[in-house]
Amino acid sequence: MADENRPKLPNFLLSVKLKYVKLGYHYLITHAMYLFLIPLLCLSLLHMSTLTLQDLAHLWNHLKFNLVTVILGSTLIIFLATLYFMSRPRKVYLVNFSCFKPEDARMCTREIFMERSAQAGTFSEENLSFQKKILERSGLGQKSYFPEAIMQVPPNPCMAEARKEAEMVMFGAIDGLLEKTGVKAKDIGILIVNCSLFNPTPSLSAMVVNHYKLRGNILSYNLGGMGCSAGLISIDLAKQLLQVHPNSYALVVSMENITLNWYFGNNRSMLVSNCLFRMGGAAILLSNRSSDRRRSKYQLIHTIRTHKGADDKCYSCVFQEEDETKRIGVALSKDLMAVAGEALKTNITTLGPLVLPMSEQILFFATLVARKIFKMNIKPYIPDFKLAFEHFCIHAGGRAVLDELEKNLDLSEWHMEPSRMTLYRFGNTSSSSLWYELAYTEAKGRIRRGNRTWQIAFGSGFKCNSAVWRALRTIDPSKEKSPWIDEIDDYPVHVPKVTQIVS
């Protein structure tokens, strides 16, 4: 597959639709009451600061004989204070997170991947060559991980092995998280587990409840079939639940399962996922307790969710089905890149008014109105998202998407480094890849207090979701435990566009 023939994302920042800008400004306007009251409060305080003792004495004497005025004024103050505290959303903190790092025995080089694919005996020579070409251009390195059932000769995909993989990943990530935070399992009030393709009975969330003996009134959710963006859907769900359940901890577990979802057929649209997806998972602890702010790493500022499933082309571009030999696989449509671009455009346009500096918003909006309403032939203004965020965690779904996003968002190699190195070291770990990327940024010592990080992911459906975090403290990598710490000095590495696999 030559690079010039590779599908590309549309330049979504050059073709923005006004309805998505309106949606973004709608989010902003919902807080207009506070924006209006704050200046009035400041003016009132400024005026009061000019009053003398004689003025205050005169005011007191006046109020003593105007009981109705006092009652009405007090009622108004109480009403406004109650309205403010009742409508103010609870702050959501990310206490800590943990990414699972499999043992070295699960490591799979590119050569081992091709060797096991050939030994499976189900792929034609043409499709073995096809997988080799995909892998050589994938951006994956030599240290990604596969479950034991797939590495065996012959492979042994079965329910028991799939459960074994799920337990290894989930419990490994959760154990690391509980060790980091010191939180007891009994203190967790909300549990959300997402895994797109493996949904056993009892559920994965029930598996966690059983293993850690979580309390009987826990709010437990198991999200399936929601693709690689399900991790941020879980974060958004946790945020909504934390708004109505005070003094709570929410545990989010994001993973994918490889064992039962390795494709053994010869449909090329289904073979691509074999070459990209690898074993991994993450556990994240969120809190709405004000007492946790001092020890938390980040505060959740925004979550924006975009769903394009109403469009048939978007709905079917990532589709699990049987091939002509009745083997189940996930087919990737040729329209995938175009669909991803539309979803990204919608999500980014909605997010822009919430995060961009006012100067960028004015330039962007004025240019947009001139082009869309007054039909002026002027060059569109592309907002600089680097002014809104210091760090970017873009789902490491594949090299092609990362290349196109780097170009469309005008990002530097430094901004893309966490995503590219995560793809190289761990492969596409589905919904958990964003957390390996954030762990990379921390391990490099780049997170400073007040820094803003933008996580963006997309997946089947078709969905695109964003989360914005603000660092509450500077992260000292020497005090962190993560899958990168022991080898962070080896990165970044140069990743050639084509890496030849020696047969």
Side-chain angles (χ1 to χ4, degrees):
M1 292 189 304
D3 286 348
E4 58 268 20
N5 295 326
R6 189 178 67 197
K8 295 182 182 297
L9 284 175
N11 201 335
F12 45 84
L13 289 177
L14 300 182
S15 56
V16 176
K17 294 183 180 178
L18 274 175
K19 66 177 181 179
Y20 301 133
V21 179
K22 276 175 56 181
L23 183 58
Y25 280 99
H26 170 74
Y27 281 98
L28 193 65
I29 290 169
T30 55
H31 298 89
M33 184 183 76
Y34 305 118
L35 297 175
F36 177 72
L37 289 178
I38 289 173
L40 289 180
L41 181 60
C42 291
L43 287 173
S44 300
L45 292 174
L46 184 65
H47 178 70
M48 290 179 63
S49 67
T50 63
L51 297 178
T52 64
L53 291 175
Q54 186 177 357
D55 294 330
L56 293 173
H58 182 267
L59 179 63
W60 172 250
N61 289 329
H62 176 73
L63 291 176
K64 281 195 300 184
F65 300 102
N66 289 273
L67 183 61
V68 174
T69 303
V70 174
I71 293 174
L72 289 176
S74 301
T75 303
L76 179 62
I77 292 172
I78 294 171
F79 172 75
L80 291 175
T82 302
L83 181 64
Y84 171 75
F85 285 107
M86 291 293 289
S87 62
R88 184 182 62 173
R90 290 187 173 89
K91 293 180 179 179
V92 176
Y93 304 110
L94 192 161
V95 181
N96 216 322
F97 67 96
S98 176
C99 299
F100 175 66
K101 186 176 184 179
E103 59 186 3
D104 290 346
R106 303 279 73 78
M107 204 172 285
C108 179
T109 65
R110 290 183 290 265
E111 288 73 22
I112 291 177
F113 174 91
M114 291 308 305
E115 180 183 310
R116 294 294 188 273
S117 295
Q119 291 172 340
T122 62
F123 303 114
S124 67
E125 288 297 324
E126 293 80 7
N127 280 329
L128 285 171
S129 298
F130 173 76
Q131 291 183 80
K132 183 179 179 182
K133 288 180 181 179
I134 293 290
L135 197 58
E136 289 176 337
R137 292 160 174 77
S138 65
L140 271 70
Q142 295 285 66
K143 294 184 177 181
S144 58
Y145 301 95
F146 269 120
E148 182 179 359
I150 300 300
M151 296 283 282
Q152 290 178 0
V153 181
N156 182 32
C158 62
M159 179 62 75
E161 289 292 332
R163 287 183 181 275
K164 181 179 176 181
E165 179 194 350
E167 291 172 356
M168 180 191 304
V169 174
M170 291 194 305
F171 301 162
I174 296 172
D175 287 347
L177 180 64
L178 296 180
E179 181 183 350
K180 283 183 177 183
T181 61
V183 171
K184 297 178 181 178
K186 290 287 185 181
D187 293 334
I188 297 170
I190 300 167
L191 170 66
I192 303 169
V193 179
N194 68 266
C195 181
S196 188
L197 295 175
F198 181 53
N199 294 287
T201 300
S203 67
L204 295 174
S205 59
M207 197 183 296
V208 174
V209 172
N210 176 261
H211 181 80
Y212 292 96
K213 308 304 177 188
L214 302 183
R215 64 199 201 195
N217 65 343
I218 191 167
L219 301 176
S220 174
Y221 298 84
N222 196 92
L223 307 183
M226 304 193 79
C228 299
S229 67
L232 294 187
I233 294 175
S234 297
I235 293 294
D236 181 68
L237 174 58
K239 181 187 77 171
Q240 303 299 333
L241 292 168
L242 288 171
Q243 295 305 313
V244 294
H245 296 280
N247 202 35
S248 297
Y249 283 117
L251 173 62
V252 174
V253 182
S254 293
M255 60 166 291
E256 192 51 82
N257 190 282
I258 306 296
T259 298
L260 282 182
N261 295 291
W262 186 258
Y263 176 62
F264 289 96
N266 284 282
N267 185 323
R268 290 195 174 185
S269 68
M270 297 178 175
L271 282 172
V272 176
S273 59
N274 281 12
C275 303
L276 297 177
F277 282 88
R278 298 293 185 267
M279 185 166 67
I284 305 97
L285 186 68
L286 302 175
S287 171
N288 60 12
R289 303 182 183 194
S290 57
S291 58
D292 280 322
R293 188 184 192 281
R294 294 183 62 184
R295 72 186 188 115
S296 296
K297 285 185 171 181
Y298 306 94
Q299 181 180 339
L300 181 59
I301 306 302
H302 301 294
T303 53
I304 300 294
R305 292 172 57 179
T306 301
H307 205 306
K308 308 291 285 186
D311 183 279
D312 291 342
K313 184 171 70 174
C314 298
Y315 171 74
S316 60
C317 70
V318 180
F319 208 86
Q320 186 181 29
E321 58 186 349
E322 295 175 327
D323 67 9
E324 58 278 3
T325 64
K326 302 302 181 182
R327 292 186 174 96
I328 296 175
V330 177
L332 305 181
S333 165
K334 293 179 180 180
D335 297 323
L336 177 59
M337 295 292 278
V339 167
E342 282 297 315
L344 284 163
K345 181 176 67 175
T346 306
N347 192 272
I348 288 173
T349 309
T350 305
L351 180 67
L354 298 176
V355 298
L356 287 169
M358 190 57 66
S359 59
E360 290 292 298
Q361 293 195 44
I362 292 172
L363 287 170
F364 172 71
F365 190 69
T367 306
L368 187 65
V369 169
R371 284 170 52 83
K372 298 291 185 178
I373 296 179
F374 297 104
K375 306 299 180 182
M376 296 175 64
N377 187 23
I378 58 175
K379 185 178 180 180
Y381 181 75
I382 302 175
D384 186 358
F385 280 90
K386 297 189 293 296
L387 296 175
F389 307 109
E390 286 76 26
H391 309 287
F392 295 79
C393 294
I394 300 169
H395 168 54
R399 183 174 194 159
V401 175
L402 295 181
D403 288 346
E404 292 300 314
L405 279 172
E406 178 180 355
K407 181 177 70 175
N408 274 275
L409 293 178
D410 193 26
L411 301 179
S412 67
E413 291 184 5
W414 187 87
H415 290 114
M416 297 298 298
E417 188 181 308
S419 298
R420 292 195 185 281
M421 292 305 101
T422 294
L423 181 64
Y424 180 82
R425 177 62 181 84
F426 293 98
N428 181 348
T429 61
S430 191
S431 58
S432 66
S433 69
L434 299 173
W435 302 103
Y436 287 91
E437 294 164 18
L438 187 56
Y440 179 91
T441 309
E442 290 184 352
K444 280 293 183 182
R446 297 177 180 176
I447 301 293
R448 298 285 183 269
R449 182 177 180 179
N451 281 181
R452 295 152 297 178
T453 300
W454 180 17
Q455 291 181 320
I456 185 164
F458 38 90
S460 58
F462 192 86
K463 299 178 288 293
C464 178
N465 302 307
S466 289
V468 178
W469 305 90
R470 184 174 66 239
L472 297 175
R473 56 185 170 90
T474 298
I475 306 297
D476 183 357
S478 65
K479 297 179 181 179
E480 292 296 316
K481 291 183 179 179
S482 85
W484 295 99
I485 290 300
D486 295 337
E487 51 188 281
I488 193 62
D489 293 336
D490 298 334
Y491 297 93
V493 298
H494 172 67
V495 184
K497 289 190 178 297
V498 179
T499 303
Q500 296 294 333
I501 297 176
V502 180
S503 301

